[in-house]
Amino acid sequence: MATPLPNQMLRRSFVKTVLRRLIALLTVIGLIYGLIAIVYATKTIFKVKMNYAVVLERFGGVRQAVTDVGWHARLPYFTRIEQEVPLMNQTMQLGGTPAPMRIISKGNVALWTSGVLTYRIRDLHRWAIENLNPLDLLQGDYDGIVKDILQAQVVDRLISDRETIKEAIFTALKSRPINVGGPTIEKKYGVEVVSFVLKETRFGDKLAAASEEKKRRELIAEAENYAADQEASRIRKLYAAYLHGIRDLQQALGHADGSSDTALLEFLTQQKWATAYEKQQQGQNTVVIQNTQGNTPAIALPAFNAAKEPEGGKDGQTAD
């Protein structure tokens, strides 16, 4: 009778062999992956992407720009990657942050403003080799030029004439020397100024509220002046119509030399007395019509029911 012991031993031996080989394979793969990871982490082998460039600093301080797209190798410890430079359009905020920056206008009025500069690196040697920390240097020159132009303007232009100011800033950034006789931004950093956008220019909250209150008061004063002008115009028209009526009446009376003025005055006084008498509603019999002599003449008027009584009085007798 055959024993199964050898078969079991063979199977166990085969499993152990497979496990050992699998462990060895995983170990080799892990070592290779770790070596690749170490090489990639130290950037001994690095990649230059499309529209990017890499600046290498070699042993001895020599700096070199690598612009060829693809994989490249460098000697560890003897070279290092100083920076990776994008060659596409880039933006730079006014003041270095998207938050508005406070400026003082020519009239000593505080405003908040923000802007965006779009630029592209054209000369990599001038940007990365001739300038140390070019972004910080460009930020300082950019802020200085923009603030010089903005703070030289009166507040009205900063609010209502932003288009002209924006174009003036763009022209200055593109072609104006940073200092008299010095280079422009484009020549100093090897960049091309693509565009500039003045995002906002506004008052502070308290100043805006005060400006709105001032505008409201100006509108009220303007409305009051307009109403006063209308009232004055109405009075002038009434006065002209009154004079015209008096002139026509004098001409109708036939006395162009003014001799009819007394009769005319008496007629107008009678008319005024009649009007006052008709409007009397309180049972009073005395009405002051005109005071031209310094005293107060009184006129006794008949009672309002006098017109209703018969001509002969209460007894019906007729007066002679």
Side-chain angles (χ1 to χ4, degrees):
M1 182 176 179
T3 175
L5 185 59
N7 293 333
Q8 293 178 357
M9 293 179 63
L10 289 174
R11 285 196 296 270
R12 291 177 181 176
S13 176
F14 177 76
V15 171
K16 290 180 179 180
T17 302
V18 172
L19 289 176
R20 284 197 300 269
R21 290 179 179 178
L22 182 61
I23 293 173
L25 180 61
L26 292 175
T27 302
V28 172
I29 293 175
L31 290 175
I32 294 174
Y33 180 80
L35 181 61
I36 294 174
I38 292 173
V39 172
Y40 186 78
T42 57
K43 294 186 178 180
T44 303
I45 298 176
F46 62 93
K47 181 180 181 181
V48 178
K49 297 179 288 185
M50 181 71 71
N51 290 327
Y52 279 85
V54 173
V55 178
L56 292 178
E57 183 181 358
R58 299 189 181 278
F59 186 75
V62 178
R63 301 163 74 191
Q64 178 185 0
V66 181
T67 58
D68 296 333
V69 178
W71 291 97
H72 300 268
R74 65 178 182 84
L75 291 176
Y77 303 108
F78 293 96
T79 59
R80 74 181 184 90
I81 297 177
E82 185 179 82
Q83 58 179 307
E84 187 178 26
V85 182
L87 302 179
M88 300 169 287
N89 287 346
Q90 303 179 66
T91 60
M92 179 171 288
Q93 302 286 342
L94 184 62
T97 61
M101 182 178 65
R102 187 172 182 267
I103 63 170
I104 304 297
S105 69
K106 188 175 182 180
N108 200 26
V109 178
L111 291 94
W112 294 94
T113 184
S114 61
V116 178
L117 168 69
T118 302
Y119 67 96
R120 176 181 291 182
I121 299 173
R122 292 298 188 183
D123 190 341
L124 190 62
H125 183 271
R126 185 167 295 179
W127 171 265
I129 307 300
E130 295 183 2
N131 291 285
L132 181 64
N133 299 323
L135 282 175
D136 296 338
L137 295 175
L138 177 60
Q139 183 74 63
D141 291 338
Y142 163 55
D143 292 344
I145 291 177
V146 175
K147 289 182 68 175
D148 287 344
I149 296 176
L150 290 177
Q151 296 191 160
Q153 308 297 325
V154 296
V155 64
D156 293 341
R157 290 200 63 201
L158 289 173
I159 299 300
S160 60
D161 198 12
R162 296 176 64 251
E163 179 71 21
T164 304
I165 296 174
K166 180 189 71 173
E167 294 302 325
I169 293 175
F170 174 74
T171 303
L173 292 173
K174 195 168 183 64
S175 59
R176 195 182 81 177
I178 300 173
N179 299 104
V180 177
T184 63
I185 283 183
E186 292 187 338
K187 291 182 178 180
K188 180 178 179 180
Y189 298 103
V191 300
E192 176 191 358
V193 176
V194 178
S195 65
F196 172 77
V197 176
L198 191 61
K199 294 169 60 178
E200 64 173 337
T201 49
R202 60 178 177 84
F203 296 115
D205 295 337
K206 293 183 179 179
L207 190 57
S211 177
E212 292 177 359
E213 178 64 19
K214 179 182 177 182
K215 186 63 177 179
R216 187 184 69 84
R217 293 182 179 181
E218 289 177 352
L219 291 175
I220 293 175
E222 184 178 353
E224 291 177 349
N225 291 335
Y226 178 77
D229 291 341
Q230 292 295 315
E231 181 65 18
S233 177
R234 187 183 69 84
I235 293 175
R236 285 194 298 270
K237 291 179 180 179
L238 290 175
Y239 182 70
Y242 178 77
L243 292 180
H244 184 70
I246 295 297
R247 190 179 303 112
D248 291 344
L249 185 57
Q250 286 180 338
Q251 293 177 358
L253 291 175
H255 299 282
D257 57 352
S259 60
S260 60
D261 292 346
T262 303
L264 177 61
L265 181 60
E266 293 177 355
F267 172 76
L268 293 176
T269 302
Q270 293 176 1
Q271 293 296 111
K272 187 174 181 181
W273 173 83
T275 303
Y277 184 73
E278 289 177 357
K279 293 183 178 180
Q280 208 276 349
Q281 300 292 333
Q282 304 297 330
Q284 300 176 358
N285 296 331
T286 301
V287 178
V288 177
I289 296 177
Q290 187 177 8
N291 183 6
T292 59
Q293 304 297 330
N295 54 4
T296 304
I299 299 176
L301 303 179
F304 287 103
N305 56 359
K308 300 180 181 180
E309 295 181 356
E311 295 181 358
K314 295 182 180 181
D315 298 333
Q317 297 179 356
T318 302
D320 294 336

